[in-house]
PDB file of all heavy atoms in Angstrom:
ATOM      1  N   ALA A  29     -34.413  -0.282 -31.925  1.00 65.00           N
ATOM      2  CA  ALA A  29     -34.215   1.163 -32.069  1.00 65.00           C
ATOM      3  C   ALA A  29     -34.748   1.677 -33.403  1.00 65.00           C
ATOM      4  O   ALA A  29     -34.110   2.470 -34.081  1.00 65.00           O
ATOM      5  CB  ALA A  29     -32.739   1.518 -31.911  1.00 65.00           C
ATOM      6  N   LEU A  30     -35.941   1.200 -33.804  1.00 75.00           N
ATOM      7  CA  LEU A  30     -36.548   1.622 -35.053  1.00 75.00           C
ATOM      8  C   LEU A  30     -37.636   2.653 -34.773  1.00 75.00           C
ATOM      9  O   LEU A  30     -38.711   2.316 -34.288  1.00 75.00           O
ATOM     10  CB  LEU A  30     -37.140   0.417 -35.789  1.00 75.00           C
ATOM     11  CG  LEU A  30     -36.137  -0.562 -36.403  1.00 75.00           C
ATOM     12  CD1 LEU A  30     -36.834  -1.808 -36.913  1.00 75.00           C
ATOM     13  CD2 LEU A  30     -35.357   0.107 -37.526  1.00 75.00           C
ATOM     14  N   SER A  31     -37.366   3.896 -35.066  1.00 73.00           N
ATOM     15  CA  SER A  31     -38.348   4.949 -34.863  1.00 73.00           C
ATOM     16  C   SER A  31     -39.382   4.913 -35.985  1.00 73.00           C
ATOM     17  O   SER A  31     -39.183   4.300 -37.044  1.00 73.00           O
ATOM     18  CB  SER A  31     -37.675   6.314 -34.852  1.00 73.00           C
ATOM     19  OG  SER A  31     -37.124   6.605 -36.124  1.00 73.00           O
ATOM     20  N   SER A  33     -40.220   7.367 -37.912  1.00 78.00           N
ATOM     21  CA  SER A  33     -39.696   8.061 -39.087  1.00 78.00           C
ATOM     22  C   SER A  33     -38.738   7.167 -39.873  1.00 78.00           C
ATOM     23  O   SER A  33     -38.742   7.170 -41.111  1.00 78.00           O
ATOM     24  CB  SER A  33     -39.004   9.363 -38.676  1.00 78.00           C
ATOM     25  OG  SER A  33     -37.917   9.101 -37.801  1.00 78.00           O
ATOM     26  N   ARG A  34     -37.920   6.394 -39.154  1.00 83.00           N
ATOM     27  CA  ARG A  34     -36.991   5.503 -39.859  1.00 83.00           C
ATOM     28  C   ARG A  34     -37.748   4.382 -40.557  1.00 83.00           C
ATOM     29  O   ARG A  34     -37.413   4.000 -41.689  1.00 83.00           O
ATOM     30  CB  ARG A  34     -35.975   4.925 -38.885  1.00 83.00           C
ATOM     31  CG  ARG A  34     -34.871   4.146 -39.616  1.00 83.00           C
ATOM     32  CD  ARG A  34     -33.725   3.789 -38.730  1.00 83.00           C
ATOM     33  NE  ARG A  34     -32.662   3.174 -39.515  1.00 83.00           N
ATOM     34  CZ  ARG A  34     -31.978   2.108 -39.143  1.00 83.00           C
ATOM     35  NH1 ARG A  34     -32.222   1.561 -37.975  1.00 83.00           N
ATOM     36  NH2 ARG A  34     -31.026   1.601 -39.906  1.00 83.00           N
ATOM     37  N   LEU A  35     -38.803   3.864 -39.912  1.00 89.00           N
ATOM     38  CA  LEU A  35     -39.601   2.820 -40.547  1.00 89.00           C
ATOM     39  C   LEU A  35     -40.311   3.356 -41.787  1.00 89.00           C
ATOM     40  O   LEU A  35     -40.418   2.666 -42.801  1.00 89.00           O
ATOM     41  CB  LEU A  35     -40.604   2.264 -39.539  1.00 89.00           C
ATOM     42  CG  LEU A  35     -40.009   1.272 -38.531  1.00 89.00           C
ATOM     43  CD1 LEU A  35     -40.932   1.094 -37.331  1.00 89.00           C
ATOM     44  CD2 LEU A  35     -39.754  -0.076 -39.207  1.00 89.00           C
ATOM     45  N   ALA A  36     -40.820   4.592 -41.693  1.00 88.00           N
ATOM     46  CA  ALA A  36     -41.477   5.189 -42.861  1.00 88.00           C
ATOM     47  C   ALA A  36     -40.509   5.276 -44.038  1.00 88.00           C
ATOM     48  O   ALA A  36     -40.878   5.024 -45.190  1.00 88.00           O
ATOM     49  CB  ALA A  36     -42.017   6.567 -42.493  1.00 88.00           C
ATOM     50  N   LYS A  37     -39.259   5.621 -43.741  1.00 88.00           N
ATOM     51  CA  LYS A  37     -38.243   5.708 -44.798  1.00 88.00           C
ATOM     52  C   LYS A  37     -37.945   4.328 -45.378  1.00 88.00           C
ATOM     53  O   LYS A  37     -37.831   4.163 -46.596  1.00 88.00           O
ATOM     54  CB  LYS A  37     -36.973   6.325 -44.226  1.00 88.00           C
ATOM     55  CG  LYS A  37     -35.875   6.556 -45.246  1.00 88.00           C
ATOM     56  CD  LYS A  37     -34.660   7.235 -44.602  1.00 88.00           C
ATOM     57  CE  LYS A  37     -33.557   7.451 -45.637  1.00 88.00           C
ATOM     58  NZ  LYS A  37     -32.359   8.101 -45.026  1.00 88.00           N
ATOM     59  N   LEU A  38     -37.841   3.317 -44.517  1.00 92.00           N
ATOM     60  CA  LEU A  38     -37.579   1.964 -44.983  1.00 92.00           C
ATOM     61  C   LEU A  38     -38.737   1.434 -45.831  1.00 92.00           C
ATOM     62  O   LEU A  38     -38.525   0.733 -46.829  1.00 92.00           O
ATOM     63  CB  LEU A  38     -37.324   1.040 -43.784  1.00 92.00           C
ATOM     64  CG  LEU A  38     -36.002   1.267 -43.049  1.00 92.00           C
ATOM     65  CD1 LEU A  38     -35.997   0.514 -41.720  1.00 92.00           C
ATOM     66  CD2 LEU A  38     -34.822   0.832 -43.910  1.00 92.00           C
ATOM     67  N   GLU A  41     -38.552   2.922 -49.204  1.00 90.00           N
ATOM     68  CA  GLU A  41     -37.423   2.365 -49.955  1.00 90.00           C
ATOM     69  C   GLU A  41     -37.686   0.937 -50.423  1.00 90.00           C
ATOM     70  O   GLU A  41     -36.856   0.343 -51.115  1.00 90.00           O
ATOM     71  CB  GLU A  41     -36.163   2.393 -49.096  1.00 90.00           C
ATOM     72  CG  GLU A  41     -35.643   3.795 -48.797  1.00 90.00           C
ATOM     73  CD  GLU A  41     -34.511   3.783 -47.789  1.00 90.00           C
ATOM     74  OE1 GLU A  41     -34.253   2.707 -47.192  1.00 90.00           O
ATOM     75  OE2 GLU A  41     -33.891   4.842 -47.593  1.00 90.00           O
ATOM     76  N   ILE A  67     -32.607  -4.090 -42.908  1.00 82.00           N
ATOM     77  CA  ILE A  67     -31.830  -2.954 -42.429  1.00 82.00           C
ATOM     78  C   ILE A  67     -30.486  -2.965 -43.134  1.00 82.00           C
ATOM     79  O   ILE A  67     -29.706  -3.910 -42.983  1.00 82.00           O
ATOM     80  CB  ILE A  67     -31.611  -3.015 -40.900  1.00 82.00           C
ATOM     81  CG1 ILE A  67     -32.950  -3.221 -40.186  1.00 82.00           C
ATOM     82  CG2 ILE A  67     -30.909  -1.760 -40.421  1.00 82.00           C
ATOM     83  CD1 ILE A  67     -33.907  -2.069 -40.336  1.00 82.00           C
ATOM     84  N   GLY A  68     -30.214  -1.939 -43.897  1.00 70.00           N
ATOM     85  CA  GLY A  68     -28.962  -1.865 -44.624  1.00 70.00           C
ATOM     86  C   GLY A  68     -27.835  -1.313 -43.773  1.00 70.00           C
ATOM     87  O   GLY A  68     -27.932  -1.220 -42.542  1.00 70.00           O
ATOM     88  N   ALA A  69     -26.774  -0.929 -44.411  1.00 59.00           N
ATOM     89  CA  ALA A  69     -25.621  -0.364 -43.706  1.00 59.00           C
ATOM     90  C   ALA A  69     -26.023   0.915 -42.996  1.00 59.00           C
ATOM     91  O   ALA A  69     -26.833   1.694 -43.499  1.00 59.00           O
ATOM     92  CB  ALA A  69     -24.501  -0.069 -44.693  1.00 59.00           C
ATOM     93  N   PRO A  70     -25.496   1.144 -41.799  1.00 53.00           N
ATOM     94  CA  PRO A  70     -25.870   2.348 -41.058  1.00 53.00           C
ATOM     95  C   PRO A  70     -25.376   3.611 -41.748  1.00 53.00           C
ATOM     96  O   PRO A  70     -24.403   3.590 -42.505  1.00 53.00           O
ATOM     97  CB  PRO A  70     -25.166   2.159 -39.709  1.00 53.00           C
ATOM     98  CG  PRO A  70     -24.027   1.248 -40.004  1.00 53.00           C
ATOM     99  CD  PRO A  70     -24.509   0.324 -41.084  1.00 53.00           C
ATOM    100  N   GLU A  71     -26.081   4.698 -41.486  1.00 53.00           N
ATOM    101  CA  GLU A  71     -25.663   5.985 -42.019  1.00 53.00           C
ATOM    102  C   GLU A  71     -24.367   6.420 -41.343  1.00 53.00           C
ATOM    103  O   GLU A  71     -24.034   5.966 -40.254  1.00 53.00           O
ATOM    104  CB  GLU A  71     -26.755   7.020 -41.768  1.00 53.00           C
ATOM    105  CG  GLU A  71     -28.076   6.670 -42.442  1.00 53.00           C
ATOM    106  CD  GLU A  71     -29.170   7.634 -42.037  1.00 53.00           C
ATOM    107  OE1 GLU A  71     -28.883   8.572 -41.259  1.00 53.00           O
ATOM    108  OE2 GLU A  71     -30.303   7.442 -42.487  1.00 53.00           O
ATOM    109  N   PRO A  72     -23.597   7.288 -41.982  1.00 52.00           N
ATOM    110  CA  PRO A  72     -22.348   7.758 -41.361  1.00 52.00           C
ATOM    111  C   PRO A  72     -22.596   8.311 -39.967  1.00 52.00           C
ATOM    112  O   PRO A  72     -23.572   9.028 -39.731  1.00 52.00           O
ATOM    113  CB  PRO A  72     -21.876   8.850 -42.321  1.00 52.00           C
ATOM    114  CG  PRO A  72     -22.488   8.494 -43.634  1.00 52.00           C
ATOM    115  CD  PRO A  72     -23.822   7.881 -43.305  1.00 52.00           C
ATOM    116  N   LEU A  73     -21.741   7.959 -39.073  1.00 55.00           N
ATOM    117  CA  LEU A  73     -21.920   8.346 -37.680  1.00 55.00           C
ATOM    118  C   LEU A  73     -21.289   9.709 -37.414  1.00 55.00           C
ATOM    119  O   LEU A  73     -20.137   9.942 -37.763  1.00 55.00           O
ATOM    120  CB  LEU A  73     -21.262   7.283 -36.786  1.00 55.00           C
ATOM    121  CG  LEU A  73     -21.456   7.426 -35.284  1.00 55.00           C
ATOM    122  CD1 LEU A  73     -22.913   7.208 -34.922  1.00 55.00           C
ATOM    123  CD2 LEU A  73     -20.578   6.417 -34.558  1.00 55.00           C
ATOM    124  N   GLU A  74     -22.074  10.577 -36.807  1.00 68.00           N
ATOM    125  CA  GLU A  74     -21.563  11.905 -36.496  1.00 68.00           C
ATOM    126  C   GLU A  74     -20.817  11.930 -35.165  1.00 68.00           C
ATOM    127  O   GLU A  74     -19.956  12.771 -34.948  1.00 68.00           O
ATOM    128  CB  GLU A  74     -22.709  12.910 -36.481  1.00 68.00           C
ATOM    129  CG  GLU A  74     -23.357  13.109 -37.850  1.00 68.00           C
ATOM    130  CD  GLU A  74     -24.447  14.153 -37.831  1.00 68.00           C
ATOM    131  OE1 GLU A  74     -24.675  14.745 -36.749  1.00 68.00           O
ATOM    132  OE2 GLU A  74     -25.076  14.384 -38.871  1.00 68.00           O
ATOM    133  N   ALA A  75     -21.170  11.021 -34.260  1.00 76.00           N
ATOM    134  CA  ALA A  75     -20.496  10.992 -32.966  1.00 76.00           C
ATOM    135  C   ALA A  75     -19.011  10.665 -33.146  1.00 76.00           C
ATOM    136  O   ALA A  75     -18.636   9.868 -34.011  1.00 76.00           O
ATOM    137  CB  ALA A  75     -21.150   9.964 -32.050  1.00 76.00           C
ATOM    138  N   GLN A  76     -18.207  11.262 -32.321  1.00 83.00           N
ATOM    139  CA  GLN A  76     -16.763  11.079 -32.426  1.00 83.00           C
ATOM    140  C   GLN A  76     -16.232  10.274 -31.242  1.00 83.00           C
ATOM    141  O   GLN A  76     -16.756  10.371 -30.134  1.00 83.00           O
ATOM    142  CB  GLN A  76     -16.069  12.440 -32.476  1.00 83.00           C
ATOM    143  CG  GLN A  76     -16.448  13.280 -33.683  1.00 83.00           C
ATOM    144  CD  GLN A  76     -16.100  12.602 -34.996  1.00 83.00           C
ATOM    145  OE1 GLN A  76     -14.996  12.085 -35.170  1.00 83.00           O
ATOM    146  NE2 GLN A  76     -17.050  12.588 -35.935  1.00 83.00           N
ATOM    147  N   LEU A 118     -16.828   4.164 -28.929  1.00 89.00           N
ATOM    148  CA  LEU A 118     -16.170   4.342 -30.219  1.00 89.00           C
ATOM    149  C   LEU A 118     -14.660   4.406 -30.059  1.00 89.00           C
ATOM    150  O   LEU A 118     -13.909   3.910 -30.900  1.00 89.00           O
ATOM    151  CB  LEU A 118     -16.691   5.605 -30.900  1.00 89.00           C
ATOM    152  CG  LEU A 118     -18.120   5.522 -31.452  1.00 89.00           C
ATOM    153  CD1 LEU A 118     -18.587   6.895 -31.890  1.00 89.00           C
ATOM    154  CD2 LEU A 118     -18.193   4.532 -32.605  1.00 89.00           C
ATOM    155  N   LEU A 125     -18.151  -1.805 -33.621  1.00 73.00           N
ATOM    156  CA  LEU A 125     -19.457  -1.821 -32.971  1.00 73.00           C
ATOM    157  C   LEU A 125     -20.510  -2.149 -34.005  1.00 73.00           C
ATOM    158  O   LEU A 125     -20.442  -1.713 -35.154  1.00 73.00           O
ATOM    159  CB  LEU A 125     -19.773  -0.462 -32.327  1.00 73.00           C
ATOM    160  CG  LEU A 125     -18.987  -0.085 -31.076  1.00 73.00           C
ATOM    161  CD1 LEU A 125     -19.309   1.357 -30.689  1.00 73.00           C
ATOM    162  CD2 LEU A 125     -19.298  -1.025 -29.928  1.00 73.00           C
ATOM    163  N   SER A 126     -21.539  -2.898 -33.597  1.00 66.00           N
ATOM    164  CA  SER A 126     -22.631  -3.235 -34.504  1.00 66.00           C
ATOM    165  C   SER A 126     -23.327  -1.972 -34.982  1.00 66.00           C
ATOM    166  O   SER A 126     -23.548  -1.036 -34.224  1.00 66.00           O
ATOM    167  CB  SER A 126     -23.633  -4.130 -33.769  1.00 66.00           C
ATOM    168  OG  SER A 126     -24.875  -4.151 -34.438  1.00 66.00           O
ATOM    169  N   GLY A 127     -23.712  -1.950 -36.258  1.00 61.00           N
ATOM    170  CA  GLY A 127     -24.417  -0.800 -36.810  1.00 61.00           C
ATOM    171  C   GLY A 127     -25.884  -1.050 -37.044  1.00 61.00           C
ATOM    172  O   GLY A 127     -26.578  -0.209 -37.606  1.00 61.00           O
ATOM    173  N   ILE A 128     -26.398  -2.197 -36.603  1.00 47.00           N
ATOM    174  CA  ILE A 128     -27.775  -2.563 -36.914  1.00 47.00           C
ATOM    175  C   ILE A 128     -28.783  -1.590 -36.306  1.00 47.00           C
ATOM    176  O   ILE A 128     -29.875  -1.403 -36.816  1.00 47.00           O
ATOM    177  CB  ILE A 128     -28.072  -4.006 -36.441  1.00 47.00           C
ATOM    178  CG1 ILE A 128     -29.396  -4.506 -37.031  1.00 47.00           C
ATOM    179  CG2 ILE A 128     -28.121  -4.102 -34.936  1.00 47.00           C
ATOM    180  CD1 ILE A 128     -29.637  -5.969 -36.776  1.00 47.00           C
ATOM    181  N   GLY A 129     -28.418  -0.951 -35.190  1.00 50.00           N
ATOM    182  CA  GLY A 129     -29.354  -0.047 -34.539  1.00 50.00           C
ATOM    183  C   GLY A 129     -29.416   1.326 -35.177  1.00 50.00           C
ATOM    184  O   GLY A 129     -30.179   2.171 -34.737  1.00 50.00           O
ATOM    185  N   GLY A 130     -28.624   1.584 -36.219  1.00 52.00           N
ATOM    186  CA  GLY A 130     -28.626   2.893 -36.847  1.00 52.00           C
ATOM    187  C   GLY A 130     -27.470   3.737 -36.352  1.00 52.00           C
ATOM    188  O   GLY A 130     -26.821   3.437 -35.355  1.00 52.00           O
ATOM    189  N   ALA A 131     -27.224   4.821 -37.032  1.00 51.00           N
ATOM    190  CA  ALA A 131     -26.025   5.608 -36.765  1.00 51.00           C
ATOM    191  C   ALA A 131     -26.001   6.226 -35.386  1.00 51.00           C
ATOM    192  O   ALA A 131     -24.950   6.417 -34.802  1.00 51.00           O
ATOM    193  CB  ALA A 131     -25.905   6.712 -37.815  1.00 51.00           C
ATOM    194  N   ALA A 132     -27.168   6.577 -34.844  1.00 47.00           N
ATOM    195  CA  ALA A 132     -27.190   7.317 -33.584  1.00 47.00           C
ATOM    196  C   ALA A 132     -26.833   6.464 -32.386  1.00 47.00           C
ATOM    197  O   ALA A 132     -26.488   6.980 -31.344  1.00 47.00           O
ATOM    198  CB  ALA A 132     -28.566   7.943 -33.374  1.00 47.00           C
ATOM    199  N   ARG A 133     -26.979   5.144 -32.496  1.00 54.00           N
ATOM    200  CA  ARG A 133     -26.722   4.308 -31.328  1.00 54.00           C
ATOM    201  C   ARG A 133     -26.052   2.995 -31.730  1.00 54.00           C
ATOM    202  O   ARG A 133     -26.653   1.918 -31.620  1.00 54.00           O
ATOM    203  CB  ARG A 133     -28.012   4.067 -30.552  1.00 54.00           C
ATOM    204  CG  ARG A 133     -29.227   3.793 -31.409  1.00 54.00           C
ATOM    205  CD  ARG A 133     -30.460   3.614 -30.549  1.00 54.00           C
ATOM    206  NE  ARG A 133     -31.357   4.745 -30.695  1.00 54.00           N
ATOM    207  CZ  ARG A 133     -32.483   4.893 -30.006  1.00 54.00           C
ATOM    208  NH1 ARG A 133     -32.850   4.009 -29.144  1.00 54.00           N
ATOM    209  NH2 ARG A 133     -33.267   5.940 -30.179  1.00 54.00           N
ATOM    210  N   PRO A 134     -24.836   3.024 -32.216  1.00 69.00           N
ATOM    211  CA  PRO A 134     -24.172   1.805 -32.668  1.00 69.00           C
ATOM    212  C   PRO A 134     -23.972   0.821 -31.527  1.00 69.00           C
ATOM    213  O   PRO A 134     -23.490   1.170 -30.463  1.00 69.00           O
ATOM    214  CB  PRO A 134     -22.834   2.320 -33.200  1.00 69.00           C
ATOM    215  CG  PRO A 134     -22.588   3.579 -32.444  1.00 69.00           C
ATOM    216  CD  PRO A 134     -23.939   4.183 -32.269  1.00 69.00           C
TER     217      PRO A 134
END
Side-chain angles (χ1 to χ4, degrees):
L30 289 171
S31 66
S33 60
R34 188 169 186 223
L35 282 163
K37 184 177 180 180
L38 289 168
E41 292 172 351
I67 309 295
E71 299 173 1
L73 186 67
E74 294 183 2
Q76 297 300 313
L118 288 171
L125 289 173
S126 162
I128 193 171
R133 41 182 109 184

